[in-house]
C-alpha cells in the first residue's frame, strides 16, 4: 500500500497529524518499482483522497524508502587538533571530510550520514568537544541507496505533481514511533515487519 500522512508543525516542534490515507498498490515489490504506471495510479488515488479530506493541495513530500537496495557502510577518518583540547572546529572539519566521501560505485548515492562514535587517542568518548588529546577520529554511518531504483520512485511521485523534499530511509526513523529515549540510549533493535520488506535497525 501507499500511505500519505499530512501534518502541521506546531510552535513547540511537535507535528500535529491532520490526516492519514492509504491505497492498495501494485507494480512495486519489496520497495522496488516494477511498473511505474501502476505505482503512479495508486499515488494519484491516495493523493486525491487526502486532498479532498483536508481541502488542500499536496505539492511537496518527505518520501519514506525501504528495500534490499538500501544498505549501511561505515567510514572512519581523523584530524589532528591544533589546540590542546578538542574544539567544535575539529568536529566540523571531520564532518566536512565526510561530505567529500566518494563512493566506489557510481550506481549508489548517499541518502544520509551521521557519526556513530568518536575516539580520542584510541579511546571512545561520548562528547569530544573540550576533551584533551592529540588525535580525534570518528566513525560515520552512511546510508546508501541504488540511484536507479531511487529515481524510479521519484519519477512516480513527480508524475503526480509532487516535489520530493527529501528521501528518508524508513529504518532510520521507525524507532521514533515505538522506542523511548531511554531504550535508544541503552541500545535497542527495532524490527518493522512488512508485507514484502522487513526493516531492522540497531
Amino acid at each position: 500500500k501507499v500511505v500519505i500522512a499530512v501534518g502541521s508543525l506546531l510552535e513547540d516542534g511537535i507535528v500535529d497529524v491532520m490526516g492519514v490515507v492509504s491505497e492498495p498498490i501494485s507494480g512495486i515489490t519489496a520497495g522496488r518499482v516494477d511498473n511505474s504506471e501502476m505505482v503512479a495510479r495508486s499515488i494519484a488515488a491516495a493523493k486525491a483522497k487526502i486532498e479532498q479530506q483536508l481541502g488542500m493541495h499536496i505539492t511537496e513530500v518527505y518520501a519514506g524508502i525501504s528495500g534490499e537496495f538500501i544498505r549501511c557502510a561505515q567510514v572512519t577518518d581523523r584530524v589532528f587538533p591544533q589546540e590542546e583540547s578538542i574544539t567544535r572546529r575539529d568536529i566540523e572539519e571531520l564532518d566536512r571530510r565526510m561530505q567529500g566521501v566518494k563512493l566506489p560505485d557510481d550506481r549508489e548515492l548517499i541518502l544520509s550520514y551521521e557519526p556513530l562514535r568518536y575516539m580520542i587517542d584510541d579511546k571512545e568518548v561520548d562528547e569530544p568537544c573540550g576533551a584533551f588529546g592529540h588525535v580525534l577520529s570518528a566513525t560515520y554511518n552512511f546510508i546508501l541507496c541504488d540511484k536507479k531504483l531511487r529515481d524510479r520512485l521519484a519519477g512516480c511521485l513527480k508524475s503526480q505533481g509532487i516535489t520530493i523534499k527529501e528521501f528518508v530511509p524508513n529504518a532510520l526513523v521507525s524507532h521514533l514511533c515505538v522506542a523511548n529515549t531511554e531504550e535508544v540510549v541503552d541500545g535497542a533493535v527495532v524490527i518493522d515487519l512488512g508485507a514484502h520488506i522487513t526493516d531492522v535497525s540497531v
Side-chain angles (χ1 to χ4, degrees):
K1 62 185 176 181
V2 56
V3 179
I4 299 179
V6 177
S8 176
L9 187 63
L10 305 180
E11 289 184 2
D12 57 4
I14 300 296
V15 175
D16 176 30
V17 178
M18 301 160 61
V20 180
V21 300
S22 66
E23 280 288 318
I25 197 167
S26 299
I28 194 165
T29 306
R32 180 191 302 265
V33 175
D34 298 320
N35 186 309
S36 59
E37 288 294 321
M38 296 169 74
V39 172
R41 281 200 297 269
S42 295
I43 292 171
K47 180 173 179 281
K49 186 185 290 185
I50 194 72
E51 287 180 338
Q52 183 177 13
Q53 178 180 314
L54 298 178
M56 62 173 59
H57 188 50
I58 305 298
T59 59
E60 295 181 325
V61 298
Y62 291 93
I65 189 167
S66 288
E68 64 182 1
F69 50 89
I70 295 174
R71 68 182 183 93
C72 290
Q74 295 182 13
V75 178
T76 301
D77 204 348
R78 61 180 55 83
V79 294
F80 299 92
Q82 298 179 0
E83 308 293 335
E84 186 178 359
S85 64
I86 309 298
T87 66
R88 182 61 55 189
R89 184 179 58 206
D90 299 318
I91 299 170
E92 290 171 353
E93 174 61 24
L94 268 176
D95 197 63
R96 277 193 296 273
R97 286 171 177 261
M98 293 300 166
Q99 291 175 19
V101 165
K102 303 297 182 187
L103 299 180
D105 189 340
D106 61 5
R107 291 177 297 180
E108 289 185 308
L109 53 81
I110 299 169
L111 285 179
S112 69
Y113 69 93
E114 58 186 82
L116 277 179
R117 66 188 67 88
Y118 290 101
M119 307 279 288
I120 298 178
D121 298 340
D122 297 324
K123 181 180 179 182
E124 187 170 341
V125 294
D126 292 329
E127 176 51 64
C129 193
F132 295 94
H134 300 94
V135 181
L136 169 65
S137 63
T139 298
Y140 280 67
N141 189 40
F142 282 74
I143 300 182
L144 311 177
C145 177
D146 185 290
K147 188 185 302 183
K148 182 171 68 176
L149 298 179
R150 193 282 311 263
D151 289 346
R152 281 188 197 174
L153 183 56
C156 295
L157 290 162
K158 289 176 181 176
S159 72
Q160 302 308 309
I162 298 173
T163 299
I164 301 153
K165 290 181 71 70
E166 184 180 345
F167 275 104
V168 181
N170 290 341
L172 191 64
V173 295
S174 58
H175 72 278
L176 299 173
C177 302
V178 295
N180 61 39
T181 302
E182 184 177 330
E183 290 169 335
V184 172
V185 171
D186 288 345
V189 178
V190 177
I191 303 173
D192 182 2
L193 297 172
H196 294 108
I197 302 173
T198 297
D199 281 325
V200 181
S201 52
V202 181

